[in-house]
Amino acid sequence: MGTFLKDIRYGARVLAKSPGFTLVAVVSLALGIGANTAIFSLVNAALLRPLAGVEEPARLVNLHRTSPDGSGFHSFSYQDYLDYRAEPGVLRDLLAYTVDTYSLGEGEQSERVFGLMATGNFSSVLGVRAARGRFFTPEEDAAGGASSRVVVLGHSFWQRRFGADPSVVGREVTLNGQPFTVVGVAPQGFTGPRVALSPDIYLPLWSSVHTRAEAAGWLQSRGGGSLELVGRLAPGVGIEAARAALGRVAGRLASEYPETHRGHGLDVRPTRTGLGQMEAPATAFMAVLMAVVGFVLLIACANVAGMSLARAAARRKEMAIRLALGASRARVVRQLLTESVMLYVLAGAAGLLLAMWLTSLLMAFKPPTPFTLEIDLGVDGRVLLFTFGVAVLTGVLFGLAPALQASRPEVVPALKDEPSAGQRRRLTSAFVAGQIAVSLVLLVTTGLFLRSLQNARALDPGFDPSGVEVVGFDLRIQGYDEARGRRFYQELLERVRQLPGVSSASLSRIVPLDGANMEAGVNVEGHEPPAGQRAFLTDFNVVAPGYFATLGVPVVRGRDFAESDREGAPRVAVVNETMARRYWPGGGAVGRRFRIGSGERSEAVEVVGVARDAKYRTLGEEPREHFYLPFAQSYDAQMTLHVRGGAGVLGAVRREVAQMDRSVPLLDAMPLAEAVSRSLLPIRMAAWVAGLLGLTGLLLAGVGVFGVVSYVVAQRTRELGIRVALGAQTGDVLRLVIGHGLKLALAGVAAGLVAAAALTRLLGGLLYGVSATDAATFAGVSLLLLAVALLACYLPARRAARVDPMEALRYE
């Protein structure tokens, strides 16, 4: 222990004697460790940290229904829930829940809130206590009696919407036009059985009969599945036993209800993350993030290892004296490793501070979602252990090579200050070439994303979003039946079309490029569906007359929908050009028919128009079949108003809706151009993250080249002095030194190009209008790295060109 403390004290003095090296090394490593810690904080919060406010989360399990094809994560009906809950000896208890939207009628304009409906045993299964008041009870979830009109507020929602007023407990609020009594406030940080998604309100499951006209039907239907199930294992029961016992229940249901359950099984998994069906894709995404920031840490570590090797040249004599006085090589290696680990731990502390700043930035950035995201990225013991472990592990791994090299100098030449062998120089050069290679991969990725983003912005979406405002409505949450809903939308269109400055207005079920889509099975005479399928799956939308004019989508043949395409009239549709070419080549689509669905329940529709192709799901998609149905013949309670007009139109729409029904909330009101820009959010974020990491790698690579060339100049001072004494010109020395640095850079660029060509192929599906092996991007990044390397070589080369031969020879 005493020897170890001596090593630490001596290492501290050595690092203090070289403040420049220590500062550069700590800053370089802090960037790498800080980035890794920040991303690990996200991994920790989403995948590793137990559910907040939940008692014994390790005993919780999720039930997943499996399909005949083996896929899982299918939800359950309420009747299925009752059967699984009744299975004895497996689960201590089982809860069912689902998430839905509500209209909160508080203030001048109602607002949409997200609610979690759960069975009455919700709080007892999760073991959660309310921060104020209480949660609802099983008695309040009994078949939708008057006692089920109770609600618990989410903690964040209580603070945001009610100003954390403690007197709210016991008050009455209006949800979907119905009175509900607030009985409690959820604890802070609690998000229910899901992570990150923080419900605004919690309600008994059977309260839905008061807010949804169709609720009683789906609660009593065996085939209506929208519930997720979370159970708590009984004492002494493990996952495998629960899976086997509940699997037998699934088998029984499959035989009793073959129409809805044939081939369905059951899987039981630990709740762990609370991500449910999103756990697998979230884990894959986190793994990619950790891999990317791992590249940055690799560059930083290689940079410091290279500088350590260069610095070891100045300590050759010290090491030689230690060995000459009888110190073992192992003793010298231990001392050098102690110094390396101290340096990395110091950088880890700085990286932890940087990570805390980065996580605060992550918390400040919230993607445009209509629900509340609540995730704790704070530093806990697991994050501290990760940071410390990364610092120590990298300190040992990347300090070992410099320590081994420095601990075996040729003692006599070192004591005479004669030049060292070239092995250390080659190892240092390898570190720098590796840095450049990894930096090139990151920068190529950045370049591809940036070019893709530029291309995506220039793509023609097939419609004109400029000057169009969109406002969403969901009349289900106000309890509107179909007749009342039709009247509301008809009156809304009439009012909005008469507003000053409005040139056109219409409705659609789906907003193009907002991430949503609808599919229907289509059968066309003369065309056979693929093997194993009963119909062609085709995207569609439901729109009102005037939709194509409002969005600037030309109807190239036939006509738009008209007011005559009403309920009871012959069914009609408008198809896009791609669908028309596929099924009716030669321009004969208008007047032809196709069927939606298959079998006896299919419906025949007549094509009355062909609209120009547009982008529906993503800007980078290939042309796809798409058709439109008239709203009057395919009513939907969820529609979005599209208005082409001047400034202030949204305010005018808000006033008109308030006059019609103040309890109807306006959803996602924004310019259509903003809604479309959301489709670019993933690639924009990818470009931003890759660009930040790539520039960091570029900076570190430049420092690495500078360090190794400076090291080479220090090692070759005597040689350069002799060359100058023998008549070498300044240009000759500059070419000699810069040439060495550029050889390293070229080697790194060559290795990086090979690696980038292999790895960027994985990005093909994320790019718009640019190949994953785009020659211009690869060439541009290579030239950029070579330019940075040239600049990094110039300063030590200029210093070498000014070497005084007499001083150099006297030094040696």
Side-chain angles (χ1 to χ4, degrees), residues 141-504:
D141 187 43
S147 62
S148 64
R149 295 176 183 265
V150 294
V151 61
V152 176
L153 304 180
H155 198 277
S156 296
F157 183 68
W158 171 59
Q159 291 179 318
R160 182 179 70 255
R161 186 64 176 78
F162 296 93
D165 181 5
S167 67
V168 72
V169 176
R171 279 177 48 185
E172 189 176 276
V173 296
T174 302
L175 295 173
N176 290 12
Q178 300 295 320
F180 278 72
T181 301
V182 177
V183 296
V185 176
Q188 187 172 8
F190 177 70
T191 59
R194 293 186 174 187
V195 68
L197 176 61
S198 179
D200 298 319
I201 55 176
Y202 301 82
L203 308 96
L205 186 62
W206 274 92
S207 69
S208 58
V209 299
H210 304 299
T211 58
R212 296 283 189 274
E214 71 282 5
W218 72 259
L219 283 169
Q220 296 175 9
S221 169
R222 179 63 67 170
S226 62
L227 299 177
E228 297 186 52
L229 307 186
V230 176
R232 184 173 290 277
L233 293 172
V237 177
I239 292 288
E240 292 302 325
R243 185 176 291 130
L246 296 175
R248 289 191 290 270
V249 178
R252 187 181 74 242
L253 293 177
S255 62
E256 292 180 1
Y257 307 100
E259 291 187 1
T260 55
H261 291 65
R262 180 182 288 116
H264 290 171
L266 186 82
D267 192 12
V268 179
R269 302 183 184 183
T271 299
R272 284 200 308 264
T273 65
L275 288 172
Q277 61 185 5
M278 295 302 296
E279 181 172 337
T283 301
F285 176 68
M286 299 293 181
V288 171
L289 284 181
M290 288 300 297
V292 171
V293 294
F295 273 132
V296 175
L297 180 59
L298 180 63
I299 296 173
C301 290
N303 183 26
V304 173
M307 290 192 298
S308 296
L309 282 169
R311 181 169 170 265
R315 301 182 66 185
R316 288 176 61 241
K317 192 169 185 177
E318 173 196 341
M319 298 299 112
I321 292 173
R322 282 172 170 263
L323 294 171
L325 293 176
S328 66
R329 189 182 177 203
R331 181 70 182 83
V332 173
V333 169
R334 192 179 76 181
Q335 173 62 50
L336 294 174
L337 279 179
T338 300
E339 294 175 17
S340 175
V341 171
M342 288 177 63
L343 183 66
Y344 276 73
V345 169
L346 184 62
L352 186 62
L353 295 176
L354 176 63
M356 294 172 66
W357 177 72
L358 290 174
T359 52
S360 65
L361 285 182
L362 287 175
M363 290 297 293
F365 173 77
K366 293 185 178 179
T369 58
F371 46 81
T372 302
L373 290 176
E374 187 169 322
I375 187 167
D376 181 13
L377 298 182
V379 175
D380 60 9
R382 195 180 288 109
V383 173
L384 289 174
L385 183 62
F386 171 83
T387 305
F388 179 76
V390 167
V392 172
L393 182 62
T394 52
V396 172
L397 290 178
F398 287 88
L400 188 60
L404 291 175
Q405 284 293 317
S407 65
R408 57 181 183 189
E410 299 174 12
V411 177
V412 173
L415 292 174
K416 293 181 178 180
D417 281 340
E418 294 179 358
S420 62
Q423 186 174 1
R424 185 184 295 118
R425 185 184 306 167
R426 289 191 296 272
L427 187 58
T428 305
S429 300
F431 275 123
V432 174
Q435 283 180 263
I436 293 174
V438 177
S439 298
L440 186 138
V441 173
L442 288 175
L443 288 170
V444 164
T445 302
T446 303
L448 291 175
F449 280 137
L450 289 175
R451 289 203 64 193
S452 181
L453 183 60
Q454 183 181 19
N455 291 340
R457 286 172 173 165
L459 285 175
D460 178 13
F463 57 91
D464 180 14
S466 60
V468 178
E469 306 285 341
V470 293
V471 183
F473 298 90
D474 185 357
L475 299 184
R476 297 176 309 140
I477 63 179
Q478 285 306 111
Y480 276 58
D481 59 18
E482 181 174 334
R484 189 181 172 200
R486 286 179 179 275
R487 289 195 298 271
F488 176 89
Y489 283 125
Q490 182 62 38
E491 182 182 353
L492 176 66
L493 282 177
E494 291 174 356
R495 285 172 171 260
V496 171
R497 286 168 177 167
Q498 294 174 6
L499 291 174
V502 172
S503 58
S504 61

Side-chain angles (χ1 to χ4, degrees), residues 36-51:
N36 277 265
T37 301
I39 298 302
F40 180 78
S41 297
L42 183 61
V43 173
N44 179 47
L47 301 178
L48 304 179
R49 185 178 290 156
L51 290 171

Side-chain angles (χ1 to χ4, degrees), residues 743-767:
K743 286 179 182 178
L744 289 180
L746 287 170
V749 166
L753 287 174
V754 174
L759 294 176
T760 54
R761 294 181 186 275
L762 303 176
L763 304 176
L766 302 175
L767 303 177

Side-chain angles (χ1 to χ4, degrees), residues 560-571:
D560 188 359
F561 295 127
E563 297 298 335
S564 58
D565 299 318
R566 61 175 64 92
E567 187 180 15
R571 301 269 299 183

Side-chain angles (χ1 to χ4, degrees), residues 549-767:
T550 301
L551 265 68
V553 178
V555 177
V556 295
R557 287 186 294 278
R559 64 174 177 86
D560 188 359
F561 295 127
E563 297 298 335
S564 58
D565 299 318
R566 61 175 64 92
E567 187 180 15
R571 301 269 299 183
V572 297
V574 172
V575 302
N576 72 344
E577 293 172 303
T578 298
M579 186 171 176
R581 283 193 300 268
R582 176 175 182 180
Y583 297 118
W584 307 284
V590 176
R592 305 296 290 271
R593 292 177 176 271
F594 65 93
R595 302 191 72 86
I596 300 175
S598 58
E600 297 180 356
R601 302 178 64 181
S602 66
E603 296 180 294
V605 296
E606 179 184 347
V607 178
V608 297
V610 178
R612 194 182 75 173
D613 283 343
K615 305 293 185 181
Y616 309 105
R617 297 190 185 186
T618 67
L619 278 169
E621 69 188 15
E622 295 296 324
R624 60 190 309 125
E625 293 87 16
H626 194 94
F627 66 93
Y628 304 86
L629 297 175
F631 171 67
Q633 295 181 348
S634 302
Y635 171 79
D636 197 301
Q638 293 179 268
M639 298 296 289
T640 298
L641 176 69
H642 294 59
V643 184
R644 181 172 292 278
V649 67
L650 283 179
V653 170
R654 192 180 302 275
R655 289 189 293 272
E656 295 296 328
V657 173
Q659 291 178 14
M660 294 170 60
D661 187 344
R662 190 177 298 277
S663 67
V664 173
L666 276 61
L667 313 179
D668 302 325
M670 68 183 74
L672 179 57
E674 181 180 337
V676 170
S677 70
R678 290 183 177 183
S679 64
L680 298 177
L681 181 62
I683 191 171
R684 190 181 292 117
M685 289 184 62
W688 184 84
V689 172
L692 179 62
L693 298 179
L695 290 176
T696 302
L698 180 64
L699 174 63
L700 294 176
V703 172
V705 172
F706 175 82
V708 75
V709 174
S710 297
Y711 162 63
V712 169
V713 169
Q715 292 294 296
R716 301 176 68 180
T717 300
R718 184 171 184 272
E719 173 197 341
L720 295 174
I722 292 174
R723 287 176 178 271
V724 173
L726 293 176
Q729 300 298 311
T730 299
D732 298 325
V733 177
L734 286 174
R735 281 191 295 273
L736 178 67
V737 176
I738 291 176
H740 177 79
L742 288 182
K743 286 179 182 178
L744 289 180
L746 287 170
V749 166
L753 287 174
V754 174
L759 294 176
T760 54
R761 294 181 186 275
L762 303 176
L763 304 176
L766 302 175
L767 303 177

